[in-house]
Every structure is written in C-alpha cells, then in structure tokens.
Amino acid sequence: MNVHHKARPDGSAPERNVQVLGIDAGGTMTDTFFVDSDGEFVVGKAQSTPQNEAIGLINSSVDGLAAWGISLDDALKQLQTGVYSGTAMLNRVVQRKGLRCGLIVNRGLEDFHRMGRAIQAYLGYAYEDRIHLNTHRYDPPLVPRQLTRGVVERTDMFGTVIIPLREESAREAARELIEQDVEGIVISLLHSYRNPVHERRVRDIVQEEVAKSGKNIPVFASADYYPVRKETHRTNTTILEGYAAEPSRQTLKKISDSFKEHGTKFDFRVMATHGGTISWKAKELARTIVSGPIGGVIGAKYLGEVLGYRNIACSDIGGTSFDVALITQGELTIKNDPDMARLVLSLPLVAMDSVGAGAGSFIRLDPYTKAIKLGPDSAGYRVGVCWAESGIETVSISDCHVVLGYLNPDNFLGGAIKLDRDRAVAAIKEQVADPLGLSVEDAAAGVIELLDSELRDYLRSMISGKGYSPASFVCFSYGGAGPVHTYGYTEGLGFEDVIVPAWAAGFSAFGCAAADFEYRYDKSLDINLAPDAPDNEHEAASKTLQAAWEELRENVLEEFKLNGYSADQVTLTPGYRMQYRGQLNDLEIESPLPSVSTAEDWDNLVDAFNDTYGRVYAASARSPELGYSVTGAIMRGSVPIPKPKIPKEQEHGPTPPEEAFLGTRKFYRKKRWVDAQLYRMETLLPGNRITGPAIIESDATTFVVPDGFETWLDGHRLFHLKEV
C-alpha cells in the first residue's frame, strides 16, 4: 500500500533514499514498513514462512518496494536501520518447544520451579473457572524436575550469608547436568538480588566444568540478568533466556545474515517489552518475548506526540486477540511483574490487557443453555470454514464477516486467498442458526453484535476502572481486523474521536520504525523512610539509590558497546520505582536529577513522585503521612535514530474521486440488507467524506462504515469515524 504519490512535474518518479525498515512477523502475515529520507512510507505484506522467516520477510519487502519501483538490493544498500518484532518467541514458550535447560537452585528447594506460584494455576481463566479447583491445570515446568539440582548455601533476605557456599556441591551439580546433555544451565539462588556473591561463584564453577567437558553450553545467572525480588518471577525470566531466547537469537542471526547478503550494513534491532528497541546481539534477549502488540502502542504514542493527542485508547484486533492499552497524559504505564504464556515474569512490560477474541475466534453453542461462546481458541492464519483449504470445521468470526457481506471473498489479502461464501453459510446454518431457530444472517449478525458488545464493555471498564471517562480519550483502532469492528466496539461510548490510520494493517511495523534504540536495566531496592525520618537517613537513601544507578549504568553502556557505540554517544536517563509505605503498587518515575547524593536531592525525588501520583490517580489521593519506599532503580540509555514522518497532504473537497468508487455490495445489519457503497482506500483523497453504509477496502484490511456513521480522511491519512 503506497501512502503517497508524489511525481515530478515531468511525471517521472522521484529519487528515493530508503532509510528505515520496520518488520512485524505475525503467525499469519509478515508486514514490512519502509520509510524514505523524506519520511514517506510504504507497506508490504506476505504470508509468513515459519520454517525460515527470512523468506517471508524478503517476499514482503519485495511486495512493499514494488510500489516505489525499487529493487530489493537497491533499497537494502541504502537502509540505515531495521527493527524486527514478532511472536515466534512467545509461541515457543506457549507451545513449550524451547531448548533443554538445566536449573541450579538452593538444596532443598529443587521443587519450587515446578510448583510455581499459586497464581500460575489459574492465569488466563475466567472468574467462574477460577472458583472450581478441578478446572485448574498445571502446565509442564520449563525445566523438568530431573534436570534441577540443588547446591548447599543460604543467604537471607538482608543479604547476610547464613550458610557459606559448599563449592563441591556446585561442581557435582554442574557435572551431572553436563552429563545429561543440557543446552543451557540457569542458576537462581534465594535473595541473590541482595547479595550476588554466591550465585556468581556458582556461575564461575559451572563455566569451569563446562570448559573441562569440551562442550559448548551457555550459563545464565539470575543476578547478571534480572536482579529483582520474587524468586519464581526471577527464575522463570532467567530460564526464558536459555529456553526461548537462544533459539530466537539463531533466527535473528539468519535474518540478519540473509539481509547482509543483499547488501545491508546494519545489525537488526528487536522491539523490547519496555517499548524501546535493542540489538539482536543483546545479552538479555528475553526482554523481546512479546514484541508485536507493543509496536502498535509505541506507534500510537508517537502519532499522538506528533498530532498533539495526550490521552489515547489503543485497540488492536488481530486474528486471535483484542489488545488494549491506555496512554494517559502522553505516558505509558509499565507493569513490572507481568504474566505471559501462563508464567509470572520479572520484565518491565508496557501494560496491556488482552481478550482472547479476534477475527479468527471460534464460535460454539453451549449444548444445555444454548448460549454462544466465543474463543478463546482461534483459527489463526487458517481464517475459518470459508477458506476451503483450511481444514477447519468449527465456524469462526471471519465466516460471519463473509456471510454478512463485510469482507470481499475475492480480495482477501489482495486476492491471495479465495474465500467461499457458500461453505460459510452452510456451516453457520448447521452449527449456530438451526439450533437457535434463526436465519443464517440473523445468527451471524447476532454473533458479531455479541463480540462487539464484549469488546465495548471491556474497553469501557478498562477506561472507567482507571477513573477516566471515554470522552477525554481518542480511540485508535488498528490491526488487520480492527477497522471491520471499529464502529461496533466504539458505538455509544462517547470517545472524543475515533481514528483508523490508513496503514492500520501494518501499524505495529510502523511502531517498530518509530521506536527509540534503547536499553533498560532494572534492580530491586528496599529503601523505607518514615515521614519524620531525619536528614541523615534521607542522605543515606540517596546514596543507596545512586550506587544502584552506577551498577546499572555499567550494564547499559556495555550493551551499547557491543553495538559499536561509545559512552559519549549514549543519553542516560535514571529512574526509580516509588510508593507510599505499605502500598502494594509502585509507580515508575523518571528522575528529575542526573545523580543524587544529599538529603535535598531525596526531597526532589519525593516531589517528582507526588506530582506523578496526583496526575495518575488524583491529587486528593496522595498520602505523604505514610512515608515513602523506593522499590527499584532503573537506568535507560538511548541513541537517536531517524523516524517516519507522519504524512501531511493537501486537503481536497468532500466528494471522493470517481476512480475510488468500486460499485456496491449487499451488507446485512440490524435485520436488513442494504446496498453499501464500495471504495478503494488508497485512491481516496484527504478531505473526502463518506456517509454509511459504505465499505472501504484495501488489500490488507477492510474498513466498515455502517448507516448512522460517517468518516472523513484528514491530511495525515487518518480516517475519523463519528456517529451521525
């Protein structure tokens, strides 16, 4: 999809200098997003090729560049930087298909990884399922019990050594695991975030034994990666480094190498969970476990910054899930101990909520109550029954779209996949309509309404649960299936504005191209001060925080050094997590000072926290009488990179040009068939207004504007949807 068409006066195409490539490798499709030196961009799409991702990527790149008439080799020689995001690592964990790792813990605690935390037993369950214990399932642990070994040592929660390390027990554990042919060894000892001496000594002993054996086995100590409290979270996250990140590193190396063969000179970066990008050579690659949906949120934040939107509700619908994130006052919320793939982790993750309902979700009837149940499982890239080659028998949401006339069966993915309406009609009739005594259309329309109302309630509760009203938010809708449902899940909520970008289908790849090159390291701290603490305690607290920053600073600079950047090229931003004493939740604060050492500095940190707290919750909710706790130190380092420019085109009149009109198609909603006007998205001009019922098609997505709604396209290629 080409977003701009600028030609020279003589009609020839302008010379382009392609600078940035953003990639979103999903389970179904691989999207690429190219930006040239003027900030103009183009989007490519191709089917994903899981056996060798590089093939799908190259195909998608060729598809995108064709719009500019540039060959792949020419474009890649010019490229300055490339960013990758995908779901491969997360899928590897969900399917439990990672590398065979060994684990070394304290003797006597060999079972704690297998037990997990109680919460892991019901993560991802609906409330009614949580109540019944018999429904809880325990996923297999990442490291089986037979590959776990204990060493004799104990450090208490203050970091004091109670039992010295018996080195022989560590040597024995290392030898036994090496004999078992493990592909990585993870070490996680109790309280090592307070005092890492024992853990690092065990790491050195294991490395000595690995060297003796002549094998090549990487060793991961939790204190080197995630020195944070909560041992299950910390252990899970460190295991992921060996279990899931190592194979991803191989994948990324393949991609990087195949692009270098085509002439690129840079190393690929990967979208990380905290919203910055890091190199694929990074020491901590587990930080990129979920990168696809994050890209969308970063894209929305960047778009908001450029256009002046402060409060944004981001909604992304793909084939399997509906992901929502809120940007308030231009800030993202960062969760510190999220869960992923039914595991609790210690990673800074952009706070997002997900509902397992998307365009591929399966539809089933409860045999007793005749209630309709959507998802959580999905047809994914196999779309639904309407695709004859899918091998799927259960109807999906996409089948309803085809039956109701929302989707063009001949232009799905630009015609790459042909859909069969009759198959979908027959399956819905048999599975949903007949048992409920409804016509096929009413059954399909009912399912769509049900999905829309679920998503609408979810969006509403998420905004009002934080104490806001939708009227103060702009809603961004994107993802391949976002624009089909935008009207349905925003109707009646009263958003300030609802926006669908023309490049909605490649929006996550756009977000990747807009993200900073940034590393982030965190460390747990326990600083507790009473409200009346004397100045010398304030000073001591400043010094403790500064010492943690120094330690993290070294780690950040080391990462950049691996990528060929010296310390003077890196902008460092220290931060901290603070709460009122006794609270359960802390807030992440960017430090107002580059370094701290005095009681006065401490007071500055407290003021910054109180300000933020008043903004996030309410000024009246502040509780300084409780005193203050600092729970963690943060250090971010970043290097500037070129970003995509948001288009700015001249506005034309409200009437769409003739070539944009494609005819009409029957479309069913609210118990009747209507003739919807069809338009081609790429040929619409800024200023054009379209009143529903209308369907705006592009190769990659379909934007539905039913009766009672109108949309207009602005100069930034953003569609605004409003109820009339």
Side-chain angles (χ1 to χ4, degrees), residues 15-88:
E15 286 293 310
R16 290 197 185 272
N17 181 1
V18 187
Q19 295 249 302
V20 183
L21 160 62
I23 299 164
D24 177 20
T28 323
M29 296 286 144
T30 298
D31 301 335
T32 48
F33 187 93
F34 288 92
V35 187
D36 72 5
S37 48
D38 295 332
E40 297 190 2
F41 54 80
V42 62
V43 178
K45 228 177 184 39
Q47 267 186 300
S48 296
T49 48
Q51 55 296 350
N52 179 359
E53 282 194 20
I55 301 172
L57 258 175
I58 297 260
N59 294 342
S60 177
S61 303
V62 170
D63 172 62
L65 292 165
W68 280 346
I70 299 177
S71 73
L72 184 67
D73 289 22
D74 286 348
L76 296 189
K77 284 190 190 72
Q78 301 171 355
L79 273 184
Q80 298 294 308
T81 178
V83 183
Y84 170 91
S85 77
T87 49

Side-chain angles (χ1 to χ4, degrees), residues 24 108 115 138 160 182 258 262 271 278 303 372 426 446 547 552 573 581 598 609 629 657 679 682-684:
D24 177 20
M115 286 158 63
Y138 291 82
T160 316
V182 292
S258 75
H262 283 278
M271 190 78 197
I278 63 179
L303 199 50
I372 293 177
L552 296 175
T573 316
R581 264 195 336 170
T598 62
F609 165 73
S629 304
Y679 294 94
E682 286 78 11
T683 43
L684 291 174

Side-chain angles (χ1 to χ4, degrees), residues 98-115:
L99 296 184
R100 180 180 157 92
C101 288
L103 175 63
I104 297 180
V105 295
N106 300 69
R107 187 162 295 175
L109 292 180
E110 290 91 345
D111 286 298
F112 94 87
H113 170 60
R114 185 170 61 155
M115 286 158 63

Side-chain angles (χ1 to χ4, degrees), residues 268-454:
F268 265 97
R269 296 182 295 123
V270 190
M271 190 78 197
T273 53
H274 65 269
T277 56
I278 63 179
S279 159
W280 70 270
K281 293 180 174 168
K283 189 172 92 180
E284 300 191 6
L285 208 56
R287 289 179 176 265
T288 63
I289 174 155
V290 50
S291 48
I294 303 267
V297 182
I298 301 301
K301 179 173 182 282
Y302 171 63
L303 199 50
E305 282 166 3
V306 174
L307 304 177
Y309 299 121
R310 300 279 294 155
N311 293 338
I312 305 171
C314 312
S315 56
D316 177 353
I317 303 191
T320 46
S321 67
F322 178 64
D323 300 304
V324 184
L326 289 187
I327 298 172
T328 47
Q329 303 293 325
E331 295 295 320
L332 299 170
T333 319
I334 301 266
K335 266 204 290 227
N336 240 23
D337 33 22
D339 58 85
M340 271 294 126
R342 296 178 47 82
L343 293 166
V344 288
L345 300 175
S346 298
L347 288 169
L349 174 78
V350 171
M352 298 186 71
D353 277 328
S354 239
V355 188
S361 297
F362 288 127
I363 306 163
R364 297 184 180 87
L365 281 189
D366 182 301
Y368 305 109
T369 60
K370 297 284 188 261
I372 293 177
K373 186 163 171 18
L374 303 178
D377 50 343
S378 155
Y381 71 93
R382 293 182 300 178
V383 191
V385 180
C386 55
W387 184 32
E389 291 153 51
S390 65
I392 282 180
E393 285 166 15
T394 311
V395 285
S396 74
I397 299 281
S398 296
D399 291 317
C400 298
H401 288 159
V402 171
V403 167
L404 298 169
Y406 293 16
L407 288 186
N408 175 352
D410 300 323
N411 190 31
F412 191 74
L413 293 171
I417 293 180
K418 293 280 187 261
L419 305 181
D420 181 341
R421 185 171 180 267
D422 297 343
R423 279 183 69 105
V425 169
I428 293 176
K429 185 171 165 45
E430 182 193 339
Q431 294 175 33
V432 185
D434 287 356
L436 294 176
L438 295 170
S439 68
V440 169
E441 292 89 5
D442 283 339
V447 167
I448 300 288
E449 275 172 39
L450 180 70
L451 172 70
D452 286 342
S453 79
E454 266 186 29

